[in-house]
């Protein structure tokens, strides 16, 4: 086997940083969590190699498709994604190392998993070969053992597989520890922090969500109707000003312009007092401060349980509904760095766990926020996992679609942070508009709130989703 996987220092790196050369499939399998930042499960992983010494480059990961008929198409797309991404960065790969990670199902053994996935390994090699990029090694990891598809010698690669190296005992593990790098959580652990409750508390949380729908949906509908009416009046005023200018009535322009711009923003005072958006953001800030002041916990599970205890069911329900409005969610996305970032991420994780029962689709908003903040804080692995879960909750959620595409294209999150900073400075620095009490009007197709948005929680949930989809 060629000499693979040298982790060489980049230009400008310190000469004190170690250079590690991986020579065997066992060392490659041990390196995978360090290369990805987490321990993959149920995954196909392709890693690019560059130069004669096989320096590690770009990498792509995707879940193993359940249907074998999908394997050729997925292999083609993964190969094109890896090679295309490397070419965009100016370095076409000279080879690829592939990993197949899957645990047995039912009474299946690890060796049976290897044989079942053998056709997948072959289509991966074929897909990369079509792009003139050879696959030097394909390693299958299952049940704490590994197998190689590229070595026919049973003396070094027996049919029963080889046990994985004990964590922390390899040369790479020692070098990573020296540099302060630790392998991240497994995919299962990351998903567990974002998955809705299945405990007895889920029933109480669903009741709180039903109660919040009765209280908040009529107000959200009234505010949506007011905004629709204001937008229609603004458009009519602008059209009148334009027509007046075209007709030569110069005196109408100065009046029509201010009239078009006199309407307020979503956060203005409405007939009930503060808008739902303002209340949502204020409650989120207070809970973030509460989470930040809590004493640290020893482990991930303990930390999540502590955060869950600090958030009441009705508070979580109010926030989940408030975040369904895209403008409110976008304001919340501005808490993505500095002292605000960590407590915001903890809050979005906790809200994702509260989208229980029939409210599973509502998790798209907090999951997308969790993915964005995790990515912004430097944890790309959790960011991609959370954004993928957001799209599983709602495959058309545009906010998650855009962020997921940016993550997968290895975009620098700083460009998004700069945009959000400018928006925050704009609305924080703008002089406050005087509050107005307006008689609520019903926009076309929007039911009046006096009788409630339909009957029953299922109808209310559909209405809330329509509000969210109006501008997500």
């Amino acid at each position: 086997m060629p000499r693979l996987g040298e982790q060489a220092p980049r230009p400008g790196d310190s000469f004190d940083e170690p250079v590690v050369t991986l020579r065997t499939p066992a060392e490659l399998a041990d390196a995978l969590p360090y290369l990805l930042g987490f321990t993959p499960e149920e995954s196909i992983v392709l890693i690019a190699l560059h130069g004669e010494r096989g320096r590690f480059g770009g990498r792509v990961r995707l879940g193993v498709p359940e249907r074998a008929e999908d394997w050729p198409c997925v292999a083609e797309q993964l190969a094109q994604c890896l090679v295309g991404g490397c070419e965009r960065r100016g370095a076409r790969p000279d080879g690829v190392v592939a990993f197949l990670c899957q645990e047995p199902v039912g009474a299946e053994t690890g060796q049976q998993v290897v044989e079942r996935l053998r056709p997948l390994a072959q289509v991966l090699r074929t897909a990369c070969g079509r792009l003139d990029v050879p696959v030097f090694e394909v390693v299958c990891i299952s049940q704490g053992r590994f197998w190689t598809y590229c070595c026919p010698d049973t003396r070094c690669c027996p049919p029963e597989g080889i046990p994985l190296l004990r964590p922390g005992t390899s040369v790479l593990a020692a070098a990573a520890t020296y540099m302060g790098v630790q392998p991240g959580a497994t995919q299962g652990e990351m998903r567990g922090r974002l998955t809705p409750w299945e405990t007895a508390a889920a029933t109480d949380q669903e009741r709180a969500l039903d109660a919040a729908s009765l209280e908040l949906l009529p107000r959200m509908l009234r505010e949506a109707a007011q905004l629709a009416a204001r937008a229609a009046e603004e458009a009519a005023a602008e059209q009148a000003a334009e027509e007046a200018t075209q007709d030569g009535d110069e005196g109408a322009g100065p009046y029509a312009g201010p009239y078009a711009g006199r309407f307020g923003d979503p956060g203005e005072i409405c007939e009930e007092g503060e808008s739902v958006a303002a209340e949502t953001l204020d409650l989120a800030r207070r809970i973030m401060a509460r989470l930040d002041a809590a004493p640290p916990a020893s482990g991930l599970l303990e930390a999540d349980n502590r955060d869950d205890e600090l958030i009441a069911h009705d508070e979580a329900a109010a926030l989940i509904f408030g975040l369904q409005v895209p403008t409110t969610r976008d304001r919340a996305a501005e808490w993505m760095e500095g002292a605000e970032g960590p407590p915001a991420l903890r809050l979005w994780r906790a809200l994702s766990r509260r989208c229980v029962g029939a409210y599973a689709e509502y998790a798209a908003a907090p999951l997308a926020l969790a993915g964005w903040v995790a990515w912004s804080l430097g944890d790309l692995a959790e960011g991609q996992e959370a954004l993928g879960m957001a799209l599983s909750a709602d495959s058309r959620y545009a906010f998650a679609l855009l962020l997921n595409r940016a993550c997968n294209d290895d975009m620098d999150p700083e460009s998004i942070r700069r945009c959000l900073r400018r928006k925050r400075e704009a609305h924080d620095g703008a002089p406050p508009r005087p509050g107005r009490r307006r008689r609520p009007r019903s926009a076309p197709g929007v039911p009046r709130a006096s009788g409630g948005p339909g009957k029953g929680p299922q109808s209310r949930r559909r209405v809330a989703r329509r509000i969210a989809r109006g501008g997500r």
Side-chain angles (χ1 to χ4, degrees):
M1 188 177 70
R3 187 180 187 185
L4 299 180
E6 180 172 304
Q7 188 69 40
R10 299 180 297 273
D13 285 350
S14 168
F15 286 105
D16 294 333
E17 292 182 353
V19 177
V20 179
T21 300
L22 309 179
R23 295 181 175 86
T24 68
E27 292 175 335
L28 285 174
D30 179 70
L32 192 55
Y34 297 94
L35 297 174
L36 295 180
F38 63 97
T39 302
E41 299 172 348
E42 308 297 318
S43 298
I44 305 169
V45 181
L46 301 184
I47 300 178
L49 301 174
H50 298 274
E52 295 180 357
R53 303 176 69 87
R55 178 174 51 82
F56 286 131
R59 56 219 69 179
V60 295
R61 186 202 67 82
L62 189 69
V64 178
E66 293 184 2
R67 301 194 315 160
E69 308 91 82
D70 297 331
W71 291 353
C73 177
V74 166
E76 200 75 31
Q77 292 177 357
L78 282 173
Q80 291 176 0
C81 181
L82 179 66
V83 175
C86 291
E87 287 179 335
R88 286 194 298 272
R89 294 171 184 81
R92 181 180 176 83
D94 297 296
V96 171
V97 173
F99 296 87
L100 302 178
C101 308
Q102 192 171 68
E103 291 303 307
V105 178
E108 193 178 32
T109 66
Q111 191 169 349
Q112 290 172 328
V113 172
V114 175
E115 293 305 316
R116 179 167 52 81
L117 296 181
R118 189 176 293 277
L120 176 56
Q122 184 56 43
V123 296
L124 286 170
R125 299 177 72 179
T126 303
C128 292
R130 289 197 192 100
L131 301 176
D132 295 324
V133 179
V135 176
F136 292 137
E137 183 62 88
V138 183
V139 178
C140 182
I141 300 175
S142 182
Q143 273 193 323
R145 306 176 79 86
F146 73 89
W147 291 257
T148 171
Y149 291 107
C150 298
C151 179
D153 192 344
T154 57
R155 293 173 298 179
C156 61
C157 299
E160 66 273 14
I162 303 172
L164 293 170
L165 296 176
R166 191 158 55 89
T169 60
S170 66
V171 175
L172 179 62
T177 302
Y178 171 76
M179 298 182 64
V181 177
Q182 295 294 328
T186 66
Q187 278 185 276
E189 290 171 336
M190 286 191 292
R191 294 181 70 86
R193 307 191 76 185
L194 302 165
T195 301
W197 288 344
E198 294 183 354
T199 61
T203 303
D204 295 332
Q205 182 60 64
E206 190 166 9
R207 289 197 193 99
L209 286 162
D210 288 338
S213 70
L214 286 171
E215 177 188 356
L216 295 177
L217 277 183
R219 295 178 55 194
M220 293 168 70
L221 287 168
R222 279 195 290 272
E223 291 177 15
Q226 289 176 12
L227 290 174
R230 293 178 191 180
E233 292 178 10
E234 286 180 7
E238 290 171 357
Q239 183 177 359
E242 183 178 351
E243 291 174 353
T245 303
Q246 290 174 353
D247 293 341
D249 187 0
E250 301 294 339
Y255 295 98
Y259 178 78
R262 73 181 178 85
F263 301 103
D265 296 322
E268 283 188 346
I269 303 298
C270 64
E271 192 164 284
E272 292 82 3
E274 276 197 288
S275 70
V276 175
E279 291 176 358
T280 300
L281 295 171
D282 179 65
L283 176 60
R285 290 189 189 96
R286 287 188 280 114
I287 294 180
M288 285 165 54
R290 191 187 306 164
L291 296 176
D292 197 38
S298 56
L300 298 182
L301 179 61
E302 291 77 7
D304 291 342
N305 288 340
R306 173 207 55 202
D307 291 348
D308 289 339
E309 292 172 358
L310 293 173
I311 304 174
H313 294 312
D314 58 340
E315 292 176 327
L319 289 178
I320 289 169
F321 271 93
L323 291 175
Q324 302 308 308
V325 180
T327 51
T328 308
R329 177 209 61 209
D330 292 347
R331 289 285 299 272
E334 297 168 2
W335 306 325
M336 75 288 187
E337 58 187 346
E340 293 176 328
L345 177 56
R346 290 164 58 185
L347 175 58
W348 308 144
R349 285 192 196 122
L351 294 182
S352 301
R353 296 191 292 269
R354 303 292 188 103
C355 295
V356 297
Y359 295 89
E361 189 177 344
Y362 284 45
L367 282 169
L369 286 170
W372 157 237
V373 177
W375 179 34
S376 177
L377 294 176
D379 192 340
L380 178 61
E382 182 177 355
Q384 290 177 317
E385 196 68 34
L387 291 170
M389 292 178 67
L391 293 175
S392 296
D394 185 351
S395 61
R396 297 178 294 169
Y397 200 65
F399 185 70
L401 282 168
L402 293 171
L403 289 172
N404 192 53
R405 176 67 180 272
C407 272
N408 292 337
D409 288 347
D410 202 20
M411 178 180 172
D412 186 352
E414 178 58 23
S415 58
I416 304 176
R417 285 194 292 259
R418 283 197 298 267
C419 177
L420 289 174
R421 289 188 201 111
R422 286 194 295 268
K423 288 180 63 178
R424 184 171 189 170
E425 290 168 0
H427 60 65
D428 284 354
R433 295 175 183 265
R436 298 191 299 280
R437 295 180 181 271
R438 294 175 56 86
R439 183 180 181 82
R441 310 184 212 178
S442 295
V446 178
R448 291 186 179 274
S450 58
K455 296 181 179 180
Q458 184 176 1
S459 177
R460 294 194 298 273
R461 289 192 287 270
R462 286 198 297 267
V463 172
R465 287 198 287 269
R466 286 200 295 271
I467 293 174
R469 285 173 176 161
R472 62 184 173 183

